[in-house]
Amino acid sequence: MKTWIAANWKLNKSPRETKAYFDQWFLLAPALGLGPDLGVAFFPPATSLDLLSQIQQREGLYFSFGPQNCYSEVSGAFTGEVSAAVAKDLGADFVLLGHSERRSLFHEKDDLLAQKLRLVQSLGLKPMFCIGESLQERQRGETGEILRRQLREGLQHAVQGSALVVAYEPVWAIGTGQVASLEQVAEAHALIREELISLGQNEVPILYGGSVKAENAGPLARIPHVNGFLVGGASLEPDSFAKIVKAAKV
Ligand code: PGA
């Protein structure tokens, strides 16, 4: 199964900063062993998708990219939304869906996410579908139930046989510096794998996200059913992101 290391830039980096980033990235990337077994994907702000498309056309080998969100329709009267069809036209491979910031700050619910996921798959793009429990849910002992529900509902309209990547991101570990313990990650990933198989979703890479850094990436990458990472803060510098990619090679 392919390992993916994904960079979620959130609302960071101007086009000028993005160009400078890739100038450095292309110095680092040739030594990372990227290829059919190990890929990187960048999720820049939507305003830089066109720029990544141009950079990719010049230096295509070293990354995939996509938007951090899309709408459940490809076009129409939906002010402020991002079209997955336009992203596809620009050469995107992925769409990030269901990130906890989309769920909590922008009130995206499982049903809407399920519609988006179907659209993304029907366009031939790969959803990188995020799930994860809040601190309160973990403390109440509801982690397993929440993860199963988010998977079942989010994938209710999934196109069987279409590509899919799942990212497990405990909400309390995102941007907090508090990475989940190896045991917590192992337990959650095993449960997600089991639920995916029961939904007929085989061969789905499961990424871990939440305060991943070069220092903790190695041990996390060796946990069974951890097939890569979704990285926020530590993906903003090419150096630290490249170190994570290296550490993730198992
Ligand atoms: P973080 O963010 O690596 O800064 O914790 C991860 C994410 O939000 O995807």
Side-chain angles (χ1 to χ4, degrees):
M1 194 174 313
K2 185 161 181 166
T3 298
W4 284 102
I5 314 297
N8 176 12
W9 285 358
K10 311 192 181 186
L11 194 51
N12 294 297
K13 292 198 187 297
S14 66
R16 190 155 38 83
E17 290 165 332
T18 301
K19 272 191 200 126
Y21 186 102
F22 278 99
D23 285 346
Q24 274 196 60
W25 178 251
F26 289 124
L27 299 176
L28 300 166
L32 297 178
L34 300 173
D37 296 329
L38 177 67
V40 297
F42 290 95
F43 294 100
T47 42
S48 285
L49 287 171
D50 186 37
L51 176 58
L52 263 75
S53 170
Q54 291 170 37
I55 294 173
Q56 196 192 46
Q57 277 166 32
R58 282 204 313 270
E59 323 245 8
L61 278 176
Y62 296 119
F63 68 92
S64 299
F65 71 96
Q68 299 167 5
N69 176 40
C70 71
Y71 193 52
S72 53
E73 302 284 337
V74 292
S75 62
F78 306 108
T79 303
E81 291 296 316
V82 176
S83 167
V86 171
K88 162 109 180 158
D89 197 51
L90 288 171
D93 299 292
F94 282 100
V95 180
L96 192 63
L97 286 178
H99 188 278
S100 79
E101 286 148 21
R102 297 299 316 170
R103 290 177 189 261
S104 65
L105 301 174
F106 303 100
H107 314 294
E108 295 197 8
K109 300 277 179 279
D110 293 324
D111 275 355
L112 175 66
L113 293 172
Q115 289 169 30
K116 292 184 177 192
L117 189 135
R118 182 174 183 83
L119 174 79
V120 166
Q121 287 187 321
S122 65
L123 289 168
L125 291 164
K126 288 191 263 293
M128 189 172 287
F129 183 61
C130 304
I131 58 172
E133 81 288 359
S134 67
L135 186 57
Q136 293 82 344
E137 287 162 346
R138 177 163 283 274
Q139 286 168 342
R140 288 199 297 263
E142 296 169 3
T143 301
E145 192 186 317
I146 295 292
L147 298 181
R148 283 200 188 88
R149 192 208 73 216
Q150 289 176 340
L151 283 172
R152 271 199 312 271
E153 302 204 353
L155 303 183
Q156 62 184 299
H157 307 307
V159 182
Q160 283 297 330
S162 289
L164 171 68
V165 174
V166 166
Y168 168 57
E169 297 202 304
V171 177
W172 46 273
I174 296 178
T176 59
Q178 192 191 346
V179 67
S181 72
L182 300 182
E183 292 73 27
Q184 287 169 328
V185 176
E187 196 183 346
H189 279 240
L191 181 149
I192 293 166
R193 174 67 68 219
E194 189 188 290
E195 187 65 25
L196 284 170
I197 289 171
S198 84
L199 294 170
Q201 297 284 347
N202 302 320
E203 296 297 306
V204 176
I206 307 170
L207 316 190
Y208 169 77
S211 298
V212 175
K213 298 183 186 54
E215 301 78 58
N216 56 31
L220 285 165
R222 279 179 276 284
I223 297 173
H225 307 300
V226 170
N227 310 114
F229 299 120
L230 178 55
V231 187
S235 74
L236 293 172
E237 292 300 327
D239 241 6
S240 64
F241 189 53
K243 283 189 184 134
I244 292 171
V245 177
K246 264 192 206 149
K249 268 214 255 172
V250 281

